[in-house]
Amino acid sequence: MVFKRVVQFFIVFLVITSVALGAGFWYAQQRLQQSLQLAQPLLFEVKRGMHARTVLQQLQRQGADIHVSEAYIVSRLLDDPSRLQAGVYQLSTTDSLQSLWRKLRLGEQHLFQVALIEGRTLHEWLQVLSKAEHIEEPLQFTHKHEAAERVAELLGMDSTSAEGWLFPDTYSYRAGTSVLDILREAHLRMQAELSETWQTRANDLPYENAYELLIMASIIEKETGLKGERKRVSSVFINRINKGMRLQSDPTTIYGIEPFDGNITRAHLREETAYNTYRISGLPPSPIAMPSKASLEAAAHPEHSDYFYFVADGSGGHVFSKTLAEHNKAVNRYQRNQG
């Protein structure tokens, strides 16, 4: 009889223990998969060698709804909060302990973004990059020509100037990426885009090589921001080159002025610089800005036209003319307000 009672007690004990363990396992599993209940997405940094408990303490300080000791025990029992990769991560409002450790083990770091806009110079891009989040090793130069020459050296380019050689786009990067890493990616993109454009260019263009097409594309980029005008602007410059006329482009002249205060004068137009296309024949020695894909295409496929002149119409577009007389009338009307 006593033995029977002992057996019954033991069975009951096993049942209760099993139920308790099952309940405990269920609770732990729920806690592991439960949302951290963040009010908004959270960025946090995991430093090299940081322990899982330290990560949890940091998240708690930043607003995560967790009990550190409980979360740590649950994680050690049912997950693997080890081999955590250093970096900057983002947690969404739906992330859990389980997804947290997965991200940190796999190194799924947050990708920051920086927009490098067409029509800007390399010097202007470097100013944007110097203010971008979590980018390291900024490059700072006083003048645009110095920036273009020095970056060309750092990237190991054949060209003496990096101006124009970097493709405008929005670039994604991890924390700790250097400015030079971003520029190198942009350079590879531009090399690929320019090579493709050069291979598919129209016949009978007055370019000796792809670099001259790149220079022309940069001038087009600075002259107009209207998609529908780029190929027509291109045709004007192609027509002038074919006719032996100087380009007479204000943006090229401005690029040669260091520093430029925003006001181009007659004295500037008379000044002899390598970029003053009022004084030199043909193209300037380098691009004057970063051209877009659209401007590369315009330089490679100009519109067929008889235009040799254009002037801004005051509304963002341009008036195109075939003769100097027509052009002077347009200048008087739109620039000098003489009707």
Side-chain angles (χ1 to χ4, degrees):
M1 178 68 79
V2 173
F3 177 75
K4 184 177 180 180
R5 288 181 178 178
V6 170
V7 171
Q8 290 174 339
F9 174 79
F10 186 68
I11 291 172
V12 171
F13 174 77
L14 288 177
V15 171
I16 293 174
T17 301
S18 297
V19 171
L21 288 174
F25 179 82
W26 178 86
Y27 175 78
Q29 194 71 34
Q30 292 298 308
R31 294 297 292 170
L32 188 68
Q33 298 175 355
Q34 183 179 347
S35 167
L36 297 174
Q37 299 182 21
L38 296 170
Q40 58 188 7
L42 172 69
L43 279 179
F44 69 101
E45 182 177 5
V46 176
K47 296 182 179 179
R48 190 175 301 279
M50 185 177 283
H51 190 269
R53 184 184 288 274
T54 308
V55 171
L56 293 170
Q57 290 170 341
Q58 178 176 316
L59 290 176
Q60 186 186 57
R61 288 194 297 269
Q62 290 185 248
D65 184 20
I66 54 175
H67 187 281
V68 173
S69 295
E70 178 190 84
Y72 179 68
I73 293 172
V74 166
S75 299
R76 288 299 301 271
L77 287 174
L78 300 178
D79 210 312
D80 181 21
S82 62
R83 301 188 299 278
L84 309 180
Q85 298 188 39
V88 174
Y89 296 84
Q90 183 177 60
L91 289 178
S92 70
T93 55
T94 59
D95 268 315
S96 62
L97 283 173
Q98 189 174 54
S99 60
L100 164 68
W101 302 128
R102 179 184 58 78
K103 286 183 178 182
L104 270 58
R105 284 196 304 271
L106 297 178
E108 295 179 351
Q109 296 184 45
H110 177 66
L111 292 178
F112 297 89
Q113 291 189 324
V114 59
L116 300 178
I117 300 172
E118 63 270 13
R120 304 288 177 85
T121 64
L122 174 58
H123 191 253
E124 291 171 321
W125 274 20
L126 292 179
Q127 292 174 334
V128 171
L129 287 166
S130 70
K131 300 174 184 177
E133 294 182 277
H134 292 281
I135 283 189
E136 297 185 354
E137 302 175 32
L139 300 173
Q140 297 181 340
F141 303 97
T142 304
H143 301 299
K144 56 178 174 282
H145 297 289
E146 177 191 7
E149 292 170 6
R150 183 66 182 127
V151 169
E153 293 176 7
L154 293 172
L155 291 177
M157 295 172 52
D158 293 333
S159 175
T160 57
S161 173
E163 198 72 81
W165 269 117
L166 310 174
F167 192 75
D169 204 348
T170 297
Y171 289 89
S172 299
Y173 63 94
R174 291 182 172 187
T177 298
S178 72
V179 166
L180 205 58
D181 289 333
I182 300 289
L183 297 182
R184 186 173 289 107
E185 181 180 354
H187 178 47
L188 291 173
R189 284 281 309 280
M190 182 58 84
Q191 285 180 302
E193 295 288 350
L194 179 60
S195 177
E196 180 182 351
T197 305
W198 178 250
Q199 295 300 323
T200 59
R201 70 190 184 280
N203 296 324
D204 301 323
L205 295 176
Y207 309 131
E208 292 187 4
N209 49 52
Y211 189 54
E212 291 191 351
L213 187 150
L214 183 66
I215 294 172
M216 179 63 81
S218 74
I219 299 173
I220 296 167
E221 190 69 55
K222 292 296 289 186
E223 288 284 7
T224 182
L226 296 183
K227 181 179 180 181
E229 279 194 350
R230 287 190 175 98
K231 292 189 176 185
R232 184 164 294 179
V233 168
S234 179
S235 76
V236 170
F237 290 129
I238 296 296
N239 290 342
R240 293 180 74 91
I241 290 175
N242 288 336
K243 196 77 170 179
M245 299 170 66
R246 291 174 177 170
L247 297 185
Q248 296 185 323
S249 167
D250 287 359
T252 64
T253 304
I254 290 169
Y255 189 80
I257 301 169
E258 195 86 83
F260 180 64
D261 63 6
N263 180 36
I264 188 168
T265 65
R266 291 185 179 275
H268 288 141
L269 299 182
R270 290 193 297 267
E271 187 177 351
E272 292 189 16
T273 74
Y275 291 87
N276 186 354
T277 52
Y278 285 87
R279 301 300 303 273
I280 67 168
S281 298
L283 294 165
S286 78
I288 59 172
M290 305 302 179
S292 62
K293 176 69 173 178
S295 289
L296 289 173
E297 288 293 334
H301 299 277
E303 178 181 297
H304 293 288
S305 80
D306 296 324
Y307 294 121
F308 287 86
Y309 306 90
F310 61 87
V311 63
D313 63 9
S315 63
H318 294 84
V319 175
F320 295 82
S321 301
K322 297 178 181 180
T323 67
L324 181 58
E326 289 177 358
H327 177 63
N328 287 336
K329 288 181 180 179
V331 170
N332 288 334
R333 178 177 180 183
Y334 292 101
Q335 299 292 309
R336 298 170 183 163
N337 297 317
Q338 296 180 9

